[in-house]
Amino acid sequence: MLNIKVVRSKQLKEKPQDETKLGFGKIFTDHMFLMDYTEGEGWHDARIVPYAPLPLDPATVVFHYAQEIFEGMKAYRTADGSVQLFRPDCNAKRFQDSADRLCIPRIPVEDYIQAVKAIVDIDRDWVPHSDGASLYIRPFVFANDVGLGVHASKHYIFCIICSPSGAYYAEGLDPVRIYVEDEYIRAAPGLTGFTKCGGNYAASIKAGELAEEKGFSQVLWLDGVEKKYVEEVGSMNIMFKIDGKIYTAACTGTVLPGVTRRSIIELLKDWGYEVIEGKLAIADVMKASEEGKLEEVFGTGTAAVVSPVKELDWEGKVAYIGGGKIGELTQKLYDTLTGIQWGKLPDTKGWTVKVEKQL
Ligand code: COI
């Protein structure tokens, strides 16, 4: 168990008046969590301090070699005013998997959850009250050695910041247009596709920019070897309802194992759907569209929640989905998942975890 020292901010910031205009990840709460790692000593000095810039040497390893991992979670306010997290153990375990791949020392699952609970607890007044808005939580670890040698750092900082946020996409729950990327790739076997490391996102920006210039919200990545099979959209996993069955890429090393993804798969299976986790060729998706069998396409992610897709463009071919409207199953998944997260529906799965008032 961590011994977390708390230094409260003496100058609390003004909270946003209009929760419908929060956007995503734009404003930050009064405090942040910090913990240091030193080789030989392990993780130490867990503390909550006023939110502030971090003074870092320009030769800090993370600036040069991107030895960094992060997570994305949310805290939700329920009708009775309490605050809860969604499956924090899943994020904590995924953080460890990312850490292993990036040669970063692991944070024990219980310490990670304690730290998340503590920062949410102290800034609980920042958890939005409006429908669809929540407190986005961003835990991250970065290499803090000073020097330009390429090797695992001996010092790290674990930091958690929080941002009251609304929908990730400007479109909200309106279906988005997605460009199927056929030049750049996001991941390949043996690389870091399954981790949440900053480098994966840095490498994706170019394709995202080009797609945005063409009016698309996001890029759908194909596998990095044959550029044939659908993998994920940089900010979310993606699922296809074809002729009544649900298809999504398997998590075999190149796709991020999303917490929302696995929750949606559990719900779908509970409801009797056949969910096929495996290789799905983009050509087959387009063929299904031509045959009128591509019924729904939606993304899943912590930030994106459940996000309907209305159009896929691949090599000059276009698949229009659901007449531009959110599909029936996509809507039901969104309602059920958010219902559980915001405590409006009973949590029969034990997915939610209350943040008790302690600080
Ligand atoms: C999340 O869904 O939490 C993410 O980290 C995705 C990011 C692109 C916002």
Side-chain angles (χ1 to χ4, degrees), residues 24 70-73 136 138 168 196 201 234-235 301-304:
F24 178 81
F70 70 95
E71 268 302 323
M73 305 169 66
Y136 186 76
R138 172 53 60 86
Y168 182 69
K196 254 182 127 49
Y201 294 79
S235 56
T302 299

Side-chain angles (χ1 to χ4, degrees), residues 86-356:
F86 184 74
R87 310 187 80 176
D89 54 317
C90 296
N91 295 88
K93 287 189 195 114
R94 187 173 65 185
F95 206 44
Q96 293 192 328
D97 292 340
S98 298
D100 291 349
R101 179 63 181 83
L102 273 287
C103 295
I104 289 173
R106 284 178 163 212
I107 292 167
V109 168
E110 54 284 5
D111 292 354
Y112 174 100
I113 295 175
Q114 188 193 345
V116 169
K117 282 182 171 174
I119 188 68
V120 172
D121 181 20
I122 196 161
D123 280 342
R124 68 170 56 237
D125 290 349
W126 285 86
V127 181
H129 292 75
S130 319
D131 262 4
S134 57
L135 187 71
Y136 186 76
I137 307 163
R138 172 53 60 86
F140 59 106
V141 171
F142 62 90
N144 193 29
D145 267 6
V146 173
L148 298 182
V150 182
H151 50 70
S153 187
K154 293 178 172 34
H155 300 86
Y156 297 86
I157 291 181
F158 175 33
C159 180
I160 310 176
I161 54 174
C162 300
S163 168
S165 293
Y168 182 69
Y169 293 113
E171 291 92 335
L173 198 54
D174 289 340
V176 295
R177 296 178 68 218
I178 295 218
Y179 183 76
V180 184
E181 178 56 48
D182 54 6
E183 185 185 351
Y184 299 104
I185 60 167
R186 174 188 173 275
L191 275 169
T192 53
F194 68 94
T195 72
K196 254 182 127 49
C197 70
N200 285 345
Y201 294 79
S204 76
I205 289 172
K206 180 84 180 167
E209 290 268 288
L210 294 173
E212 264 177 42
E213 276 169 26
K214 292 182 205 142
F216 296 92
S217 305
Q218 286 276 319
V219 160
L220 168 59
W221 298 102
L222 301 177
D223 74 280
V225 178
E226 295 179 79
K227 291 191 197 153
K228 191 170 163 190
Y229 301 105
V230 296
E231 292 218 317
E232 67 172 83
V233 177
S235 56
M236 56 188 190
N237 296 108
I238 189 156
M239 303 197 184
F240 301 83
K241 180 166 178 262
I242 299 175
D243 213 9
K245 294 180 191 165
I246 315 299
Y247 296 80
T248 193
C251 292
T252 51
T254 50
V255 169
L256 187 81
V259 177
T260 311
R261 174 190 180 279
R262 71 188 264 190
S263 308
I264 289 295
I265 290 174
E266 281 183 52
L267 289 175
L268 286 166
K269 287 187 177 168
D270 287 356
W271 297 344
Y273 282 94
E274 189 178 339
V275 182
I276 298 135
E277 293 177 69
K279 287 186 168 184
L280 173 65
I282 183 67
D284 290 339
V285 174
M286 301 314 268
K287 187 161 165 267
S289 168
E290 279 160 27
E291 292 169 353
K293 292 181 183 164
L294 182 60
E295 293 155 356
E296 298 185 33
V297 180
F298 54 92
T300 64
T302 299
V305 194
V306 175
S307 188
V309 175
K310 67 176 176 190
E311 186 184 320
L312 291 169
D313 289 46
W314 176 59
E315 294 186 340
K317 298 190 192 84
V318 186
Y320 294 104
I321 304 130
K325 295 202 177 69
I326 184 167
E328 205 176 307
L329 180 62
T330 309
Q331 182 74 57
K332 185 173 169 196
L333 286 165
Y334 177 87
D335 292 343
T336 307
L337 184 75
T338 56
I340 296 170
Q341 289 171 331
W342 269 271
K344 291 178 183 162
L345 291 177
D347 174 15
T348 55
K349 304 212 159 257
W351 281 344
T352 54
V353 174
K354 288 265 182 258
V355 178
E356 306 298 347

